[in-house]
Amino acid sequence: MAFVESKLFGIRTALGLQWSCGMAKQETEGLFEGEIGRAIEMIKPGNGVRIIGAAGSGKSTVIAELVTRLERFGHTPRVINALRTQRNIPLAAIDALELATRPGRTRVVHLANALSAQLAAQHQPVIMIDDIQYVDQHSLAVLEDVLRRTDCPLVTSAPASTPLGQDHLALLARRSEAVIRLHPLSDSETSSLARRTLGNPLTRAAAARLVSASEGNPKLVVRIVQAAVLAGQLSLNGKEWKMTSDSLSNEHMAGTLEEMQSELSPEQVVALLPKPDTAPTANPAGVRLTPREVELSALAGEMTNWEIAEYLEISVRTVENHISNALRKTGTTSRAVLCELVRKTAGRGR
């Protein structure tokens, strides 16, 4: 695979590979000062905080900055960065804390004892969980036991649109908490973030198109302009970046969309996907989908199979089968497109 040397990003970028998950600190510096300040004011007296927002809205950035600020103020953050790929692995989240336990003592009560003892020995400890929706059930049991024994504040991040499971809600209920919502960037903030990312401002027309495509989502702002430069859709004209085409969708956005698809709206995903040479021929209005296939297809663009299964209290295999059948019947290969087609058909009174 060919590599492109990019002084713009300061890295060697492999074309077609996914972008890194986080946003550079210098790109987002100053964007979340108000939210971070409110969170710290809640944590100081021992309250919990939940940071919520859409995919790419900056939740992980806020958590990371809170860790830095809390350490500066004398707190001891214990951080769990929960991963989607490990959400069904027992104790995966707790294992990340590398608790010191005796050989063979790996049951929930043993791990809760070890973590509680560590917190008691640390100065102003704070438990921090990024993406709490991905914490496995066994780790949730450990954490709930620890919160029952201690008065340690709990700081979490979670998506605004995806419902949390009962075990996750039970853990959050252990602490009074303030919910801090990350709102979309304003038009001026979007343009400013693009300028920090690229080093030069966008033209007025390019900035307007970026605002429309990103809907003020910080991660999308960064990824869209980076991908547009790689695809030749943005070109530096003097001191401004100018659009060279009518679209900001391209193949370099595929990794970002796959990463964020479960929390983006179908409209956002469809708008940012590369446009096919011909329109899809599938039309759900002429296809007989079962009521269950319609129900699950309408959720498929915004939620993963695991999240749908948890939300509807059915098995993941059942979800997989129904969505696979719907994709086959409609002749589509994209969950986002399937979701869009089903919703439009329902809106016409199918």
Side-chain angles (χ1 to χ4, degrees), residues 47-52 127 129 132-133 140 143-144 147 154-159 163-179:
N47 296 312
V49 173
R50 192 188 331 174
I51 310 294
I52 65 172
I127 296 176
I129 307 173
I132 189 174
Q133 73 275 16
L140 288 171
L143 292 166
E144 187 174 1
L147 292 184
L154 175 65
V155 179
T156 63
S157 73
L164 296 175
Q166 293 182 351
D167 291 337
H168 298 83
L169 294 174
L171 176 65
L172 294 172
R174 284 286 175 184
R175 290 288 182 272
S176 60
E177 64 173 5
V179 176

mmCIF file of all heavy atoms in Angstrom, residues 47-52 127 129 132-133 140 143-144 147 154-159 163-179:
data_model
loop_
_atom_site.group_PDB
_atom_site.id
_atom_site.type_symbol
_atom_site.label_atom_id
_atom_site.label_comp_id
_atom_site.label_asym_id
_atom_site.label_seq_id
_atom_site.Cartn_x
_atom_site.Cartn_y
_atom_site.Cartn_z
ATOM 1 N N ASN A 47 -19.268 14.361 44.424
ATOM 2 C CA ASN A 47 -20.380 13.969 43.557
ATOM 3 C C ASN A 47 -19.879 13.252 42.305
ATOM 4 O O ASN A 47 -18.723 13.395 41.911
ATOM 5 C CB ASN A 47 -21.187 15.199 43.134
ATOM 6 C CG ASN A 47 -21.843 15.884 44.316
ATOM 7 O OD1 ASN A 47 -22.467 15.230 45.147
ATOM 8 N ND2 ASN A 47 -21.694 17.193 44.406
ATOM 9 N N GLY A 48 -20.774 12.513 41.679
ATOM 10 C CA GLY A 48 -20.453 11.854 40.428
ATOM 11 C C GLY A 48 -20.761 12.748 39.243
ATOM 12 O O GLY A 48 -21.503 13.726 39.353
ATOM 13 N N VAL A 49 -20.189 12.410 38.101
ATOM 14 C CA VAL A 49 -20.405 13.173 36.868
ATOM 15 C C VAL A 49 -20.536 12.193 35.713
ATOM 16 O O VAL A 49 -19.767 11.234 35.611
ATOM 17 C CB VAL A 49 -19.239 14.144 36.585
ATOM 18 C CG1 VAL A 49 -19.416 14.802 35.213
ATOM 19 C CG2 VAL A 49 -19.140 15.205 37.667
ATOM 20 N N ARG A 50 -21.537 12.434 34.861
ATOM 21 C CA ARG A 50 -21.654 11.646 33.630
ATOM 22 C C ARG A 50 -21.573 12.598 32.442
ATOM 23 O O ARG A 50 -22.366 13.527 32.323
ATOM 24 C CB ARG A 50 -22.967 10.874 33.580
ATOM 25 C CG ARG A 50 -22.981 9.827 32.467
ATOM 26 C CD ARG A 50 -24.314 9.144 32.237
ATOM 27 N NE ARG A 50 -25.182 9.034 33.378
ATOM 28 C CZ ARG A 50 -26.436 8.554 33.303
ATOM 29 N NH1 ARG A 50 -26.916 8.140 32.136
ATOM 30 N NH2 ARG A 50 -27.193 8.496 34.374
ATOM 31 N N ILE A 51 -20.601 12.360 31.561
ATOM 32 C CA ILE A 51 -20.425 13.157 30.352
ATOM 33 C C ILE A 51 -21.137 12.437 29.215
ATOM 34 O O ILE A 51 -20.817 11.289 28.909
ATOM 35 C CB ILE A 51 -18.931 13.319 29.988
ATOM 36 C CG1 ILE A 51 -18.117 13.788 31.197
ATOM 37 C CG2 ILE A 51 -18.767 14.260 28.808
ATOM 38 C CD1 ILE A 51 -18.459 15.161 31.684
ATOM 39 N N ILE A 52 -22.117 13.078 28.596
ATOM 40 C CA ILE A 52 -22.839 12.425 27.509
ATOM 41 C C ILE A 52 -22.774 13.284 26.251
ATOM 42 O O ILE A 52 -22.632 14.503 26.312
ATOM 43 C CB ILE A 52 -24.313 12.136 27.878
ATOM 44 C CG1 ILE A 52 -25.093 13.443 28.093
ATOM 45 C CG2 ILE A 52 -24.404 11.267 29.111
ATOM 46 C CD1 ILE A 52 -26.583 13.216 28.276
ATOM 47 N N ILE A 127 -12.850 7.250 40.581
ATOM 48 C CA ILE A 127 -12.990 6.211 39.559
ATOM 49 C C ILE A 127 -13.529 6.869 38.293
ATOM 50 O O ILE A 127 -14.559 7.543 38.325
ATOM 51 C CB ILE A 127 -13.937 5.091 40.020
ATOM 52 C CG1 ILE A 127 -13.356 4.373 41.243
ATOM 53 C CG2 ILE A 127 -14.165 4.086 38.888
ATOM 54 C CD1 ILE A 127 -14.277 3.316 41.823
ATOM 55 N N ILE A 129 -14.507 6.197 34.165
ATOM 56 C CA ILE A 129 -14.784 5.180 33.153
ATOM 57 C C ILE A 129 -15.168 5.869 31.849
ATOM 58 O O ILE A 129 -16.199 6.542 31.773
ATOM 59 C CB ILE A 129 -15.927 4.240 33.577
ATOM 60 C CG1 ILE A 129 -15.660 3.645 34.962
ATOM 61 C CG2 ILE A 129 -16.110 3.133 32.547
ATOM 62 C CD1 ILE A 129 -16.825 2.834 35.506
ATOM 63 N N ILE A 132 -18.729 3.881 29.399
ATOM 64 C CA ILE A 132 -19.236 2.916 30.381
ATOM 65 C C ILE A 132 -20.121 1.857 29.735
ATOM 66 O O ILE A 132 -20.243 0.741 30.245
ATOM 67 C CB ILE A 132 -20.011 3.639 31.510
ATOM 68 C CG1 ILE A 132 -20.329 2.652 32.642
ATOM 69 C CG2 ILE A 132 -21.257 4.316 30.977
ATOM 70 C CD1 ILE A 132 -20.964 3.302 33.851
ATOM 71 N N GLN A 133 -20.725 2.163 28.592
ATOM 72 C CA GLN A 133 -21.614 1.189 27.944
ATOM 73 C C GLN A 133 -20.876 -0.067 27.508
ATOM 74 O O GLN A 133 -21.493 -1.093 27.239
ATOM 75 C CB GLN A 133 -22.322 1.830 26.740
ATOM 76 C CG GLN A 133 -21.456 2.078 25.513
ATOM 77 C CD GLN A 133 -20.703 3.389 25.564
ATOM 78 O OE1 GLN A 133 -20.570 3.996 26.615
ATOM 79 N NE2 GLN A 133 -20.227 3.838 24.415
ATOM 80 N N LEU A 140 -18.760 -4.618 36.173
ATOM 81 C CA LEU A 140 -19.791 -3.775 36.782
ATOM 82 C C LEU A 140 -20.102 -4.243 38.201
ATOM 83 O O LEU A 140 -20.296 -3.426 39.109
ATOM 84 C CB LEU A 140 -21.062 -3.801 35.934
ATOM 85 C CG LEU A 140 -21.012 -3.063 34.593
ATOM 86 C CD1 LEU A 140 -22.267 -3.366 33.780
ATOM 87 C CD2 LEU A 140 -20.873 -1.556 34.801
ATOM 88 N N LEU A 143 -17.307 -3.081 40.495
ATOM 89 C CA LEU A 143 -17.378 -1.638 40.728
ATOM 90 C C LEU A 143 -18.548 -1.270 41.635
ATOM 91 O O LEU A 143 -18.427 -0.391 42.497
ATOM 92 C CB LEU A 143 -17.491 -0.908 39.390
ATOM 93 C CG LEU A 143 -16.242 -0.971 38.505
ATOM 94 C CD1 LEU A 143 -16.558 -0.515 37.091
ATOM 95 C CD2 LEU A 143 -15.123 -0.119 39.101
ATOM 96 N N GLU A 144 -19.684 -1.937 41.456
ATOM 97 C CA GLU A 144 -20.834 -1.642 42.316
ATOM 98 C C GLU A 144 -20.528 -2.005 43.765
ATOM 99 O O GLU A 144 -20.897 -1.276 44.695
ATOM 100 C CB GLU A 144 -22.069 -2.391 41.829
ATOM 101 C CG GLU A 144 -23.324 -1.994 42.589
ATOM 102 C CD GLU A 144 -24.589 -2.609 42.018
ATOM 103 O OE1 GLU A 144 -24.501 -3.362 41.033
ATOM 104 O OE2 GLU A 144 -25.667 -2.336 42.577
ATOM 105 N N LEU A 147 -18.228 0.752 45.149
ATOM 106 C CA LEU A 147 -18.943 1.994 45.438
ATOM 107 C C LEU A 147 -19.834 1.856 46.669
ATOM 108 O O LEU A 147 -20.088 2.837 47.375
ATOM 109 C CB LEU A 147 -19.775 2.417 44.230
ATOM 110 C CG LEU A 147 -19.002 2.858 42.981
ATOM 111 C CD1 LEU A 147 -19.959 3.351 41.909
ATOM 112 C CD2 LEU A 147 -17.994 3.952 43.314
ATOM 113 N N LEU A 154 -17.563 8.879 41.144
ATOM 114 C CA LEU A 154 -17.570 8.118 39.898
ATOM 115 C C LEU A 154 -17.798 9.079 38.738
ATOM 116 O O LEU A 154 -18.793 9.798 38.703
ATOM 117 C CB LEU A 154 -18.671 7.059 39.918
ATOM 118 C CG LEU A 154 -18.876 6.257 38.625
ATOM 119 C CD1 LEU A 154 -17.658 5.399 38.321
ATOM 120 C CD2 LEU A 154 -20.135 5.387 38.726
ATOM 121 N N VAL A 155 -16.868 9.084 37.789
ATOM 122 C CA VAL A 155 -16.973 9.930 36.595
ATOM 123 C C VAL A 155 -17.034 9.012 35.380
ATOM 124 O O VAL A 155 -16.177 8.139 35.216
ATOM 125 C CB VAL A 155 -15.769 10.884 36.470
ATOM 126 C CG1 VAL A 155 -15.888 11.730 35.203
ATOM 127 C CG2 VAL A 155 -15.666 11.774 37.702
ATOM 128 N N THR A 156 -18.042 9.183 34.545
ATOM 129 C CA THR A 156 -18.221 8.301 33.393
ATOM 130 C C THR A 156 -18.515 9.109 32.135
ATOM 131 O O THR A 156 -18.893 10.276 32.201
ATOM 132 C CB THR A 156 -19.389 7.323 33.620
ATOM 133 O OG1 THR A 156 -20.612 8.071 33.743
ATOM 134 C CG2 THR A 156 -19.180 6.488 34.869
ATOM 135 N N SER A 157 -18.339 8.456 30.999
ATOM 136 C CA SER A 157 -18.822 9.014 29.735
ATOM 137 C C SER A 157 -19.707 7.974 29.080
ATOM 138 O O SER A 157 -19.505 6.766 29.247
ATOM 139 C CB SER A 157 -17.656 9.384 28.810
ATOM 140 O OG SER A 157 -17.048 8.226 28.265
ATOM 141 N N ALA A 158 -20.716 8.449 28.350
ATOM 142 C CA ALA A 158 -21.666 7.545 27.706
ATOM 143 C C ALA A 158 -22.302 8.264 26.524
ATOM 144 O O ALA A 158 -22.393 9.493 26.511
ATOM 145 C CB ALA A 158 -22.747 7.103 28.695
ATOM 146 N N PRO A 159 -22.746 7.503 25.517
ATOM 147 C CA PRO A 159 -23.426 8.132 24.379
ATOM 148 C C PRO A 159 -24.785 8.670 24.790
ATOM 149 O O PRO A 159 -25.423 8.144 25.704
ATOM 150 C CB PRO A 159 -23.558 6.993 23.369
ATOM 151 C CG PRO A 159 -23.542 5.753 24.202
ATOM 152 C CD PRO A 159 -22.629 6.045 25.354
ATOM 153 N N PRO A 163 -29.313 3.527 24.816
ATOM 154 C CA PRO A 163 -29.746 3.240 26.185
ATOM 155 C C PRO A 163 -28.755 2.330 26.900
ATOM 156 O O PRO A 163 -28.206 1.398 26.304
ATOM 157 C CB PRO A 163 -31.099 2.544 25.992
ATOM 158 C CG PRO A 163 -31.048 1.973 24.613
ATOM 159 C CD PRO A 163 -30.209 2.924 23.806
ATOM 160 N N LEU A 164 -28.515 2.597 28.177
ATOM 161 C CA LEU A 164 -27.618 1.771 28.974
ATOM 162 C C LEU A 164 -28.370 0.579 29.533
ATOM 163 O O LEU A 164 -29.587 0.631 29.744
ATOM 164 C CB LEU A 164 -27.020 2.598 30.120
ATOM 165 C CG LEU A 164 -26.120 3.764 29.720
ATOM 166 C CD1 LEU A 164 -25.702 4.563 30.953
ATOM 167 C CD2 LEU A 164 -24.885 3.276 28.974
ATOM 168 N N GLY A 165 -27.637 -0.509 29.799
ATOM 169 C CA GLY A 165 -28.242 -1.701 30.370
ATOM 170 C C GLY A 165 -28.589 -1.506 31.835
ATOM 171 O O GLY A 165 -28.139 -0.555 32.487
ATOM 172 N N GLN A 166 -29.376 -2.414 32.374
ATOM 173 C CA GLN A 166 -29.815 -2.305 33.764
ATOM 174 C C GLN A 166 -28.641 -2.353 34.734
ATOM 175 O O GLN A 166 -28.633 -1.647 35.747
ATOM 176 C CB GLN A 166 -30.814 -3.416 34.075
ATOM 177 C CG GLN A 166 -32.138 -3.277 33.326
ATOM 178 C CD GLN A 166 -33.132 -4.365 33.699
ATOM 179 O OE1 GLN A 166 -32.794 -5.325 34.392
ATOM 180 N NE2 GLN A 166 -34.368 -4.225 33.241
ATOM 181 N N ASP A 167 -27.640 -3.185 34.444
ATOM 182 C CA ASP A 167 -26.476 -3.274 35.327
ATOM 183 C C ASP A 167 -25.679 -1.971 35.323
ATOM 184 O O ASP A 167 -25.146 -1.549 36.353
ATOM 185 C CB ASP A 167 -25.571 -4.436 34.904
ATOM 186 C CG ASP A 167 -26.223 -5.789 35.161
ATOM 187 O OD1 ASP A 167 -27.113 -5.857 36.023
ATOM 188 O OD2 ASP A 167 -25.846 -6.773 34.498
ATOM 189 N N HIS A 168 -25.590 -1.332 34.163
ATOM 190 C CA HIS A 168 -24.889 -0.050 34.079
ATOM 191 C C HIS A 168 -25.643 1.019 34.877
ATOM 192 O O HIS A 168 -25.042 1.808 35.612
ATOM 193 C CB HIS A 168 -24.760 0.388 32.621
ATOM 194 C CG HIS A 168 -23.957 -0.539 31.765
ATOM 195 N ND1 HIS A 168 -24.496 -1.668 31.195
ATOM 196 C CD2 HIS A 168 -22.647 -0.509 31.391
ATOM 197 C CE1 HIS A 168 -23.562 -2.297 30.498
ATOM 198 N NE2 HIS A 168 -22.433 -1.621 30.601
ATOM 199 N N LEU A 169 -26.965 1.024 34.735
ATOM 200 C CA LEU A 169 -27.773 2.009 35.460
ATOM 201 C C LEU A 169 -27.707 1.770 36.968
ATOM 202 O O LEU A 169 -27.715 2.721 37.755
ATOM 203 C CB LEU A 169 -29.219 1.947 34.971
ATOM 204 C CG LEU A 169 -29.441 2.378 33.515
ATOM 205 C CD1 LEU A 169 -30.890 2.133 33.101
ATOM 206 C CD2 LEU A 169 -29.077 3.848 33.327
ATOM 207 N N ALA A 170 -27.630 0.497 37.371
ATOM 208 C CA ALA A 170 -27.528 0.182 38.799
ATOM 209 C C ALA A 170 -26.229 0.731 39.379
ATOM 210 O O ALA A 170 -26.196 1.233 40.510
ATOM 211 C CB ALA A 170 -27.604 -1.331 39.008
ATOM 212 N N LEU A 171 -25.149 0.645 38.607
ATOM 213 C CA LEU A 171 -23.872 1.197 39.064
ATOM 214 C C LEU A 171 -23.958 2.714 39.199
ATOM 215 O O LEU A 171 -23.532 3.287 40.210
ATOM 216 C CB LEU A 171 -22.763 0.819 38.078
ATOM 217 C CG LEU A 171 -21.380 1.420 38.371
ATOM 218 C CD1 LEU A 171 -20.830 0.880 39.688
ATOM 219 C CD2 LEU A 171 -20.407 1.133 37.231
ATOM 220 N N LEU A 172 -24.518 3.372 38.203
ATOM 221 C CA LEU A 172 -24.628 4.833 38.239
ATOM 222 C C LEU A 172 -25.518 5.299 39.384
ATOM 223 O O LEU A 172 -25.317 6.380 39.942
ATOM 224 C CB LEU A 172 -25.173 5.344 36.902
ATOM 225 C CG LEU A 172 -24.262 5.128 35.685
ATOM 226 C CD1 LEU A 172 -24.997 5.494 34.404
ATOM 227 C CD2 LEU A 172 -22.990 5.952 35.816
ATOM 228 N N ALA A 173 -26.502 4.484 39.744
ATOM 229 C CA ALA A 173 -27.423 4.855 40.819
ATOM 230 C C ALA A 173 -26.747 4.869 42.184
ATOM 231 O O ALA A 173 -27.308 5.393 43.155
ATOM 232 C CB ALA A 173 -28.616 3.900 40.838
ATOM 233 N N ARG A 174 -25.545 4.306 42.271
ATOM 234 C CA ARG A 174 -24.814 4.281 43.540
ATOM 235 C C ARG A 174 -24.323 5.663 43.955
ATOM 236 O O ARG A 174 -23.901 5.865 45.094
ATOM 237 C CB ARG A 174 -23.618 3.333 43.437
ATOM 238 C CG ARG A 174 -23.979 1.858 43.513
ATOM 239 C CD ARG A 174 -24.338 1.479 44.923
ATOM 240 N NE ARG A 174 -24.796 0.103 45.040
ATOM 241 C CZ ARG A 174 -25.244 -0.421 46.169
ATOM 242 N NH1 ARG A 174 -25.296 0.330 47.257
ATOM 243 N NH2 ARG A 174 -25.649 -1.666 46.208
ATOM 244 N N ARG A 175 -24.301 6.601 43.034
ATOM 245 C CA ARG A 175 -23.821 7.946 43.329
ATOM 246 C C ARG A 175 -24.798 8.980 42.771
ATOM 247 O O ARG A 175 -25.360 8.793 41.690
ATOM 248 C CB ARG A 175 -22.443 8.194 42.685
ATOM 249 C CG ARG A 175 -21.303 7.415 43.306
ATOM 250 C CD ARG A 175 -20.948 7.974 44.678
ATOM 251 N NE ARG A 175 -19.818 7.252 45.255
ATOM 252 C CZ ARG A 175 -19.934 6.150 45.986
ATOM 253 N NH1 ARG A 175 -21.135 5.636 46.220
ATOM 254 N NH2 ARG A 175 -18.867 5.563 46.488
ATOM 255 N N SER A 176 -24.987 10.062 43.530
ATOM 256 C CA SER A 176 -25.683 11.201 42.943
ATOM 257 C C SER A 176 -24.746 11.784 41.897
ATOM 258 O O SER A 176 -23.534 11.858 42.109
ATOM 259 C CB SER A 176 -25.998 12.247 44.014
ATOM 260 O OG SER A 176 -24.809 12.714 44.623
ATOM 261 N N GLU A 177 -25.286 12.164 40.765
ATOM 262 C CA GLU A 177 -24.410 12.606 39.689
ATOM 263 C C GLU A 177 -24.998 13.788 38.943
ATOM 264 O O GLU A 177 -26.220 13.982 38.897
ATOM 265 C CB GLU A 177 -24.151 11.464 38.699
ATOM 266 C CG GLU A 177 -25.379 10.986 37.962
ATOM 267 C CD GLU A 177 -25.052 9.968 36.876
ATOM 268 O OE1 GLU A 177 -23.889 9.560 36.762
ATOM 269 O OE2 GLU A 177 -25.980 9.597 36.134
ATOM 270 N N ALA A 178 -24.104 14.568 38.387
ATOM 271 C CA ALA A 178 -24.492 15.649 37.486
ATOM 272 C C ALA A 178 -24.261 15.162 36.065
ATOM 273 O O ALA A 178 -23.225 14.568 35.770
ATOM 274 C CB ALA A 178 -23.656 16.891 37.761
ATOM 275 N N VAL A 179 -25.226 15.384 35.201
ATOM 276 C CA VAL A 179 -25.097 14.992 33.800
ATOM 277 C C VAL A 179 -24.690 16.218 32.994
ATOM 278 O O VAL A 179 -25.376 17.241 33.010
ATOM 279 C CB VAL A 179 -26.412 14.406 33.256
ATOM 280 C CG1 VAL A 179 -26.286 14.102 31.767
ATOM 281 C CG2 VAL A 179 -26.785 13.146 34.026
#
